[in-house]
Amino acid sequence: MDNRQIANEVIEALGGRENVRSVAHCATRLRVMVHDEEKIDKEKAEAIDKVKGAFFNSGQYQMIFGTGTVNKIYDEVVALGLPTSSTGDQKAEAAKQGNIFQRAIRTFGDVFVPIIPAIVATGLFMGVRGLVTQPAIMALFGVHEYGENFLMYTRILTDTAFVYLPALVAWSAFRVFGGNPIIGIVLGLMLVSNELPNAWVVASGGDVKPLMFFGFVPVVGYQGTVLPAFFVGLVGAKLEKWLHKKVPEALDLLVTPFLTFAIMSALGLFVIGPVFHSLENLVLAGTQAVLRLPFGIAGLVVGGIQQLIVVTGIHHIFNFLEAQLIANTGKDPFNAYLTAATAAQAGATLAVAVKTKSVKLKGLAFPSTLSALLGITEPAIFGVNLRYPKVFVSGLVGGAIGGWVAGLFGIAGTGFGITVLPGTLLYLNGQLLQYLATMLVGLGIAFAIAYTWGYHDEEVLPLQTVETNQTVADVAETTSVEETLYSPIGGTVLALADVSDPVFSSGAMGQGFAINPEGNILYSPVDGKVEIAFETGHAYGLKSDKGVEILIHVGIDTVSMDGDGFEQKVKANQNIKKGDVLGTFDLAKITAAGLDATTMLIVTNEADYHDIQVLAQGKVAVGDPVVLVK
């Protein structure tokens, strides 16, 4: 099928020209904003020739075509009259979609996601401390009790992030709402100043009392709180931006920070803090009341609906609730319920992978299962389970029963942010067996239901249809050529399934690996030719002299930066040697934009080869052998 015909089918599947608000593309996918999602014929869209998958993400309908092909399809749909837009404009437009509650939760997630690594690490330290301080473990090392200095050190590791949580939240809120994050972090630190009575000491009912201002405003420190810092960041960033417009440029550097600190410290301590701290306490009390319901009811409900909430995109609400639980009680029952829900979707996807005879569906379902077992369910949900509603329902049932088991056990994580297999580290304080049982129950029940009832090959969508007796060897073009690909950058290797973008983690673009980069220069992994050099500098399509086609993609959604922080050093059709510089990028700018800098190297013509082996593990340097293509 030629590209013009494909473009016509794309437009028809999208509900016609009148349903398309704008179209853009990145290195691998067509990104479409539509007026009415219901008018999209998703089955037809996924069955179009050259489409490797399609899903909604961040308010966009994204159709995966792959490097090079997407450019041609984009040119054709534009020639047929679809309106264009930059990916940055589309992202801004997508942020406005949904009702006010959905937008608020999405914004809250944007604020909270960057600080989750610190919270995860703190939770892991809690779990490790719980393990090493158990008498049986201490006895293995001939230790009967730890000294006060050691215990104090463990408290530093486990308490710091939560004591100063308002500083982290205010910093991130200023970043999201366009203010100076340094001003945000200082305002957050003011909320937990040592000059204020410690909130936890006041709450314990001791001799320490709140400070009374104006005779009726109680003021305490806001250790471990979220809402006061969030709204201080929101209002403070808006105030700072307004002051920048009003204050003369010659005085801006001095006057704007001074007024921002003066106004926001007063508002934070005397208005925003007391009001939202009280609201937060009500939310916490309500949450704890639900979690105390008998017979594991809370686990049954949360485990059953959590992945439905993921589909709506408002699942970041759990971040707030979990942070409050950890900060105030030191444990998070939600984590076990979310693990049950996630493991269950993995089990449902695994059932599809095992049962189907479709090579294409197997190639999508197995990597998606692994991704879900590592805590990322989007590839499983959007790539497989939602295509077959009974499979998705099987996952919901498994999640409910797994959550119910967790509720009966009464287990709770020492932190949050990681679930399923990585989450085991949060249960090293004597809860590990119960946690594993929860995970296995959720996965096993979902697998059994999906295998026996949820999936049958005769229901496979056109996207997946192949001759049922085909094998990978039948589909692949055989070749005796072998080639080693070398690392384009130094850093830490990740499995592709761990990448947070379902296009890459599902294997839809091809096999390869990912790196958490530590440098800022991208080098060629092969001798060959530059096929595509994107103007935004975030991705390169290469073809080696031996015919291996390679996509190198810097970051997740970095196309939205429109080239800011990226610099190309090569052009399309340019010959290159291994080690030649392809381009540079600014890690700090990627992070400041709230984006993930994980860099992918993908073999996009994998069907031409028998085997693609990832050779690298752990740390790699530029030029290390990382992939063997056979």
Side-chain angles (χ1 to χ4, degrees):
M1 186 182 298
D2 65 27
N3 291 331
R4 176 57 63 96
Q5 186 176 350
I6 290 173
N8 275 308
E9 291 192 9
V10 166
I11 293 172
E12 185 179 346
L14 291 171
R17 293 180 182 84
E18 64 279 2
N19 193 41
V20 177
R21 301 174 65 177
S22 65
V23 61
H25 77 92
C26 61
T28 58
R29 67 202 92 169
L30 199 67
R31 297 168 177 256
V32 187
M33 301 286 291
V34 296
H35 293 287
D36 185 356
E37 180 183 345
E38 297 301 320
K39 292 183 179 179
I40 299 176
D41 187 337
K42 296 176 183 177
E43 292 186 14
K44 186 172 185 177
E46 293 170 351
I48 295 173
D49 188 30
K50 298 185 181 179
V51 172
K52 300 181 179 181
F55 57 94
F56 257 98
N57 187 38
S58 302
Q60 303 167 340
Y61 190 59
Q62 301 184 11
M63 303 180 71
I64 309 165
F65 283 99
T67 313
T69 303
V70 70
N71 304 62
K72 298 172 184 177
I73 302 301
Y74 172 80
D75 289 342
E76 294 291 351
V77 296
V78 170
L80 290 171
L82 293 193
T84 62
S85 174
S86 73
T87 50
D89 290 340
Q90 282 199 346
K91 188 174 182 180
E93 181 65 26
K96 300 176 184 177
Q97 293 192 349
N99 59 44
I100 188 169
F101 179 71
Q102 289 173 319
R103 296 198 303 271
I105 295 301
R106 189 184 303 128
T107 301
F108 190 84
D110 291 341
V111 170
F112 222 89
V113 166
I115 68 177
I116 284 180
I119 305 301
V120 168
T122 294
L124 295 183
F125 283 127
M126 290 181 179
V128 171
R129 180 175 66 183
L131 176 66
V132 300
T133 55
Q134 290 185 44
I137 300 299
M138 289 192 293
L140 291 176
F141 298 95
V143 176
H144 299 288
E145 64 178 24
Y146 290 107
E148 181 57 34
N149 286 345
F150 174 79
L151 295 176
M152 179 188 68
Y153 173 63
T154 64
R155 287 195 295 272
I156 291 172
L157 291 174
T158 59
D159 296 355
T160 300
F162 290 103
V163 170
Y164 295 103
L165 184 60
L168 302 179
V169 173
W171 160 80
S172 189
F174 260 74
R175 178 188 57 83
V176 168
F177 295 113
N180 182 339
I182 300 302
I183 293 179
I185 200 169
V186 174
L187 282 171
L189 289 169
M190 289 180 180
L191 294 177
V192 292
S193 169
N194 290 335
E195 298 300 320
L196 297 172
N198 186 288
W200 290 322
V201 176
V202 172
S204 69
D207 295 332
V208 179
K209 303 296 182 184
L211 300 177
M212 298 301 294
F213 282 79
F214 315 113
F216 67 95
V217 179
V219 174
V220 297
Y222 296 100
Q223 288 82 6
T225 62
V226 174
L227 288 183
F230 177 86
F231 284 99
V232 164
L234 168 61
V235 177
K238 301 293 185 183
L239 173 64
E240 184 198 3
K241 290 168 68 176
W242 182 82
L243 288 171
H244 279 309
K245 296 177 181 178
K246 300 298 181 181
V247 175
E249 189 172 334
L251 300 175
D252 186 50
L253 182 63
L254 176 65
V255 173
T256 297
F258 175 81
L259 290 177
T260 303
F261 281 133
I263 295 170
M264 291 311 305
S265 61
L267 284 177
L269 291 174
F270 306 139
V271 181
I272 293 175
V275 170
F276 285 100
H277 187 38
S278 298
L279 176 61
E280 200 168 69
N281 284 338
L282 289 175
V283 172
L284 178 63
T287 301
Q288 289 177 311
V290 171
L291 292 174
R292 285 194 294 266
L293 290 173
F295 312 118
I297 293 174
L300 181 74
V301 173
V302 175
I305 68 171
Q306 192 265 342
Q307 290 298 306
L308 276 175
I309 296 174
V310 170
V311 173
T312 68
I314 60 173
H315 52 292
H316 293 299
I317 187 65
F318 286 108
N319 293 337
F320 164 60
L321 299 175
E322 291 177 282
Q324 284 301 289
L325 288 168
I326 290 291
N328 289 276
T329 69
K331 56 185 181 180
D332 172 25
F334 276 120
N335 183 268
Y337 305 156
L338 305 190
T339 283
T342 303
Q345 290 299 325
T349 310
L350 181 61
V352 174
V354 171
K355 190 172 185 181
T356 185
K357 296 178 181 178
S358 163
V359 173
K360 188 170 184 179
L361 184 53
K362 280 184 182 290
L364 180 62
F366 275 121
S368 297
T369 300
L370 177 59
S371 176
L373 289 173
L374 295 171
I376 302 170
T377 54
E378 282 82 357
I381 292 175
F382 295 110
V384 180
N385 297 359
L386 282 176
R387 290 176 176 166
Y388 314 105
K390 289 193 290 186
V391 174
F392 184 64
V393 170
S394 302
L396 297 181
V397 174
I401 297 176
W404 175 65
V405 169
L408 292 177
F409 282 142
I411 58 175
T414 57
F416 69 96
I418 53 175
T419 54
V420 205
L421 295 179
T424 55
L425 297 171
L426 303 178
Y427 294 84
L428 298 178
N429 55 352
Q431 305 178 93
L432 184 58
L433 291 179
Q434 297 96 314
Y435 178 78
L436 293 175
T438 294
M439 187 164 50
L440 290 173
V441 167
L443 186 150
I445 288 177
F447 179 92
I449 296 174
Y451 192 90
T452 57
W453 170 76
Y455 179 81
H456 303 284
D457 259 340
E458 54 268 25
E459 298 175 357
V460 173
L461 302 182
L463 167 69
Q464 312 296 351
T465 54
V466 297
E467 292 296 326
T468 56
N469 61 354
Q470 273 187 311
T471 65
V472 174
D474 296 324
V475 179
E477 263 183 52
T478 61
T479 176
S480 60
V481 175
E482 287 191 9
E483 182 161 13
T484 300
L485 311 184
Y486 298 88
S487 183
I489 195 167
T492 304
V493 172
L494 297 173
L496 208 56
D498 294 347
V499 175
S500 60
D501 188 320
V503 172
F504 296 110
S505 61
S506 68
M509 285 307 305
Q511 296 304 308
F513 75 109
I515 294 180
N516 274 330
E518 294 179 354
N520 66 339
I521 302 175
L522 206 62
Y523 298 89
S524 173
V526 291
D527 295 343
K529 183 179 180 180
V530 178
E531 296 279 305
I532 302 172
F534 289 86
E535 292 181 1
T536 51
H538 76 291
Y540 299 85
L542 312 178
K543 187 172 184 178
S544 77
D545 288 340
K546 293 183 178 180
V548 179
E549 296 175 6
I550 303 160
L551 169 66
I552 300 177
H553 195 290
V554 180
I556 307 296
D557 246 1
T558 44
V559 65
S560 63
M561 297 175 67
D562 289 327
D564 183 27
F566 294 85
E567 185 177 353
Q568 266 183 19
K569 300 294 185 181
V570 294
K571 296 181 180 179
N573 300 315
Q574 178 177 329
N575 292 322
I576 50 173
K577 293 290 186 183
K578 181 176 77 73
D580 285 353
V581 175
L582 300 175
T584 63
F585 56 93
D586 190 329
L587 276 172
K589 284 192 174 183
I590 295 175
T591 303
L595 300 174
D596 184 343
T598 300
T599 297
M600 282 66 64
L601 185 151
I602 308 292
V603 177
T604 56
N605 62 334
E606 63 172 325
D608 294 341
Y609 299 94
H610 291 296
D611 192 21
I612 297 171
Q613 298 178 10
V614 177
L615 306 175
Q617 293 182 348
K619 293 277 188 180
V620 294
V622 173
D624 284 353
V626 289
V627 174
L628 178 62
V629 181
K630 296 181 179 181

